[in-house]
Amino acid sequence: MEKALPIGVENFEDMVSSGYYYIDKTMLIKELLDQKGKVNLFTRPRRFGKTLNLSMLRYFFEDTGDFEKNERHKKLFLGMKIAQAGQAYARHMCGYPVFNLTLKSAKQEDFEMAYYMVQTAVSTEFERHRGVVEAAKESLSFREYERYIAIAEGKAQEKEVRNALQLFCQCMYKATGKNTVILMDEYDVPLENAYFRGFYDQMAVFLRALLEPSLKTNDYLQFAVMTGCLRISKESIFTGLNHLKIISILEKRYSEHFGFTEPEVLRMMERYGVSECFPTLKEWYDGYRFGDTEVYNPWSVINFLYDLSADRRALPRPYWANTSSNDMIRNLILRAGFETRGQIEALLNGKSLDIRAHEEVTYEDMRNDGENLWNFLLFTGYLTKETEYLKDDSIFLRVRIPNKEVKSIYQNTVLNWMGDRIKKEDFHDFYHAMEQGDARKMKDALNAELIRTISFYDHAENFYHGFLAGILSQSEDYLVRSNRESGNGRSDIMVKSPSLRGRAFILELKAAKSIDNLEADAQKALQQIYDKKYVLELQTEGYRKVDCYGIAFYRKDCEVRYGKGSA
């Protein structure tokens, strides 16, 4: 029986014991132990395996206090790469108390609710280890025990919660004689949420108070591993944390542990018998570079393989779009000036962009500088690094859109923005010109609108079709039909009055190969209406007054040709 594909499985024990297909990432354990980093922050895009890797670390390192449970956890690693690494690593198995905290649930509407969710997550971990504390109650001072129980039962005040991680490590050491491993998943989610909801400063102050005592001056800490999308600056929440080791997507160490490498993808596709689909999968879900390692989006790869296993002809989809926040792209587009719009268009047309690398950023920086915004898009997976180079004592990165999946997210965001903006415009002059047969005024109105929008040209006719259909759809006096079967082919757009006594129009579009071809292509578009008898459908319906327009586009320019309903 073929192993099931692990869509949404983020618990390592469930992954292994339930028999899901698992790509072995256990050598992350070896590298962590070899590098001996005290506090390690891994920044990777959403859905690149951070939560599953932290779960793996928990099951490897955690001493549950129960011999049989520990033995069960050790068996999870039989046959894995770390099991072959030697006794120097095996001796760490089930060796430490583990505080496992996820902050994913802190995406709430205000600080009070976000704080409550963090407090609840902390209390849950305290309650999970309560038996250890109860069994060694005499080892703790009365005050330590009292504070521990208050946090476990969710009764502690905020000032006590702020010191919770430090207290936990102290109590565990007194109870077990062992230092604690702290695992923290998605540490930056509360900050991202707070930024977009308007209480960033409040949340930053709280998280700084929660993290600093446990990570900065904690004699009872074995090591800590944190994950997130972004390297939030030390001035924001890591003030004075000098031993923090940040492993970003630019770091060459640890580069193969998050996301799938190409050999891993090829083996997986062979296992499921869909190797012939590799070129499509690569085009859509490859393109990321962590350090010097080529990386595929694991979430999208697994979802595409799941669809292929049911239907070999399954089409690729932007699976990642439904799992990640597109707020940053939307903000970029909403605030884009002329220069930024040009940069977005260049990226959408397969070009690259050179930016100065800023690894330490805050969400507040998004309001101040476009360069910081490009860095945000890089570290969150919406751009990828092609190369890096030194210029004027600064590191510069050449970045691009990684693959077709991410490109489709940009395009859909642009189209939604364009649709919203068009709804706010007044196009009465354009409609009037169309009714009057005034091709020059139509051209001027379209050119002005093209200058203000963001364009992409890989499927140029589709883009221009959506652009023009969006404008025409704003009229309350006409019905707009796109790509309707008509005569001997398909007319691009039909516009008609609800009354047969009213007006009807046919618009045929072409994307010119150069600006010099605009006039000729507009004339060809008009002639196509006649040659393929597009007018026939409207005349059959009963419309007697039909006008025709051939429109050619090249980037930000267009040309319009007018003709009557019969040649």
Side-chain angles (χ1 to χ4, degrees):
M1 182 178 175
E2 193 64 72
K3 288 193 171 186
L5 287 159
I7 296 176
V9 181
E10 296 181 323
N11 180 277
F12 181 74
E13 181 180 35
D14 185 21
M15 175 77 74
V16 177
S17 61
S18 298
Y20 289 101
Y21 186 95
Y22 174 64
I23 290 181
D24 189 342
K25 297 293 184 180
T26 58
M27 293 305 275
L28 169 62
I29 298 166
K30 179 180 183 299
E31 194 159 359
L32 276 169
L33 292 172
D34 287 345
Q35 296 298 327
K36 295 180 169 54
K38 195 71 171 177
V39 181
N40 308 273
L41 171 59
F42 290 91
T43 62
R44 294 294 186 274
R46 304 266 184 251
R47 291 291 190 178
F48 269 74
K50 300 187 296 295
T51 300
L52 180 59
N53 273 347
L54 281 193
S55 179
M56 175 191 70
L57 295 179
R58 174 194 156 194
Y59 282 101
F60 184 87
F61 286 109
E62 185 168 50
D63 178 4
T64 65
D66 182 322
F67 176 79
E68 290 185 3
K69 186 180 285 188
N70 284 354
E71 290 302 304
R72 260 199 333 270
H73 290 178
K74 288 178 181 179
K75 287 178 182 178
L76 296 174
F77 294 89
L78 292 176
M80 303 264 179
K81 292 177 183 178
I82 191 63
Q84 316 303 320
Q87 187 57 33
Y89 305 99
R91 67 184 179 84
H92 291 277
M93 291 185 77
C94 303
Y96 310 95
V98 172
F99 190 88
N100 184 47
L101 182 66
T102 177
L103 299 182
K104 285 182 179 181
S105 61
K107 298 182 76 169
Q108 305 298 323
E109 64 274 15
D110 54 38
F111 175 76
E112 287 71 24
M113 280 304 301
Y115 165 76
Y116 172 76
M117 297 307 292
V118 175
Q119 179 195 32
T120 300
V122 170
S123 296
T124 299
E125 274 299 280
F126 269 65
E127 185 63 32
R128 190 167 74 88
H129 293 82
R130 185 169 179 169
V132 176
V133 170
E134 297 284 9
K137 185 176 178 181
E138 293 77 12
S139 304
L140 277 61
S141 70
F142 175 76
R143 179 167 173 73
E144 286 170 337
Y145 175 77
E146 195 174 47
R147 287 167 60 205
Y148 188 101
I149 298 303
I151 293 173
E153 294 180 350
K155 298 176 180 177
Q157 297 179 11
E158 182 180 332
K159 63 182 180 182
E160 294 170 314
V161 175
R162 288 185 176 201
N163 196 50
L165 273 65
Q166 169 80 9
L167 175 67
F168 180 90
C169 296
Q170 185 174 321
C171 291
M172 286 298 115
Y173 183 80
K174 289 191 173 184
T176 68
K178 298 175 179 180
N179 285 347
T180 294
V181 172
I182 292 178
L183 306 176
M184 185 175 297
D185 193 23
E186 305 286 15
Y187 87 99
D188 57 338
V189 164
L191 293 169
E192 178 185 355
N193 175 69
Y195 170 76
F196 287 113
R197 294 185 184 270
F199 54 94
Y200 180 89
D201 290 340
Q202 220 176 344
M203 181 56 71
V205 168
F206 168 66
L207 284 182
R208 185 186 303 126
L210 179 70
L211 297 179
E212 271 196 0
S214 59
L215 302 179
K216 184 178 178 182
T217 54
N218 185 356
D219 293 335
Y220 309 110
L221 175 68
Q222 184 68 20
F223 65 87
V225 178
M226 305 169 66
T227 69
C229 283
L230 296 168
R231 172 179 175 169
I232 303 300
S233 72
K234 293 177 183 178
E235 288 71 30
S236 177
I237 62 171
F238 294 132
T239 307
L241 196 59
N242 297 323
H243 60 295
L244 173 66
K245 177 58 182 171
I246 301 175
I247 305 101
S248 78
I249 59 174
L250 303 180
E251 172 68 50
K252 292 178 174 61
R253 293 187 181 91
Y254 300 99
S255 58
E256 74 275 18
H257 301 311
F258 296 85
F260 295 162
T261 64
E262 187 160 292
E264 289 169 341
V265 170
L266 287 168
R267 284 194 297 271
M268 196 175 185
M269 297 191 79
E270 185 177 356
R271 174 72 176 269
Y272 288 90
V274 291
S275 297
E276 72 277 6
C277 301
F278 175 70
T280 300
L281 184 146
K282 182 178 179 67
E283 201 174 31
W284 272 76
Y285 309 120
D286 186 19
Y288 299 94
R289 185 163 293 276
F290 297 166
D292 289 332
T293 302
E294 180 183 359
V295 177
Y296 288 67
N297 183 322
W299 172 256
S300 299
V301 167
I302 290 171
N303 275 276
F304 188 41
L305 288 182
Y306 180 82
D307 287 348
L308 287 173
S309 65
D311 178 6
R312 299 293 179 85
R313 297 171 299 176
L315 299 175
R317 299 178 184 178
Y319 304 100
W320 196 57
N322 298 323
T323 67
S324 303
S325 169
N326 296 333
D327 288 335
M328 281 174 280
I329 290 182
R330 186 164 57 250
N331 273 312
L332 170 68
I333 291 168
L334 285 172
R335 296 168 51 230
F338 184 77
E339 181 182 4
T340 303
R341 287 201 301 269
Q343 291 170 320
I344 296 171
E345 288 174 359
L347 290 167
L348 284 169
N349 288 295
K351 296 187 173 74
S352 56
L353 179 67
D354 286 49
I355 63 171
R356 191 192 308 267
H358 292 307
E359 290 194 72
E360 292 190 4
V361 291
T362 70
Y363 285 96
E364 287 294 316
D365 290 332
M366 292 176 65
R367 295 176 178 169
N368 304 324
D369 182 53
E371 199 164 62
N372 281 324
L373 205 48
W374 296 121
N375 276 271
F376 266 74
L377 294 172
L378 170 68
F379 289 109
T380 52
Y382 292 100
L383 293 173
T384 191
K385 179 188 76 172
E386 278 187 354
T387 58
E388 60 182 272
Y389 57 92
L390 199 63
K391 178 184 175 184
D392 300 329
D393 298 325
S394 296
I395 295 176
F396 277 77
L397 307 171
R398 182 159 294 154
V399 299
R400 58 174 172 80
I401 295 174
N403 52 45
K404 283 192 171 182
E405 177 179 45
V406 177
K407 187 174 186 178
S408 73
I409 296 173
Y410 278 92
Q411 289 178 336
N412 289 333
T413 306
V414 168
L415 290 174
N416 289 335
W417 162 80
M418 191 169 69
D420 290 342
R421 205 177 58 73
I422 283 173
K423 289 176 183 176
K424 298 173 184 175
E425 295 284 330
D426 184 350
F427 291 103
H428 282 95
D429 289 345
F430 175 80
Y431 304 138
H432 183 69
M434 186 174 70
E435 292 167 343
Q436 296 298 312
D438 193 332
R440 184 184 61 79
K441 282 189 177 180
M442 286 178 65
K443 178 186 75 172
D444 291 345
L446 291 175
N447 282 338
E449 190 61 25
L450 283 168
I451 292 295
R452 291 192 289 267
T453 195
I454 296 170
S455 311
F456 44 90
Y457 307 106
D458 59 337
H459 300 293
E461 287 196 21
N462 287 340
F463 168 77
Y464 292 122
H465 185 280
F467 166 75
L468 188 53
I471 290 174
L472 292 166
S473 297
Q474 300 311 303
S475 173
E476 297 178 355
D477 299 324
Y478 293 103
L479 303 173
V480 178
R481 291 187 181 178
S482 301
N483 289 328
R484 294 282 294 170
E485 289 293 341
S486 175
N488 296 326
R490 298 171 66 89
S491 63
D492 281 320
I493 300 174
M494 283 186 178
V495 181
K496 58 186 183 179
S497 167
S499 169
L500 293 176
R501 294 176 178 176
R503 305 286 298 277
F505 307 89
I506 295 175
L507 297 89
E508 184 66 21
L509 281 57
K510 287 195 178 298
K513 288 186 167 57
S514 76
I515 196 165
D516 296 330
N517 296 339
L518 273 177
E519 289 83 358
D521 283 352
Q523 189 61 45
K524 286 178 184 177
L526 180 62
Q527 189 60 43
Q528 182 175 321
I529 295 173
Y530 301 137
D531 292 345
K532 296 198 173 183
K533 299 181 172 58
Y534 291 156
V535 180
L536 184 60
E537 179 182 345
L538 290 171
Q539 290 177 337
T540 301
E541 286 184 33
Y543 288 96
R544 293 294 172 259
K545 193 165 186 181
V546 180
D547 289 339
C548 306
Y549 289 96
I551 306 177
F553 293 91
Y554 180 75
R555 299 191 180 275
K556 299 289 188 180
D557 290 284
C558 76
E559 191 64 45
V560 182
R561 289 290 181 270
Y562 166 73
K564 293 289 185 180
S566 58

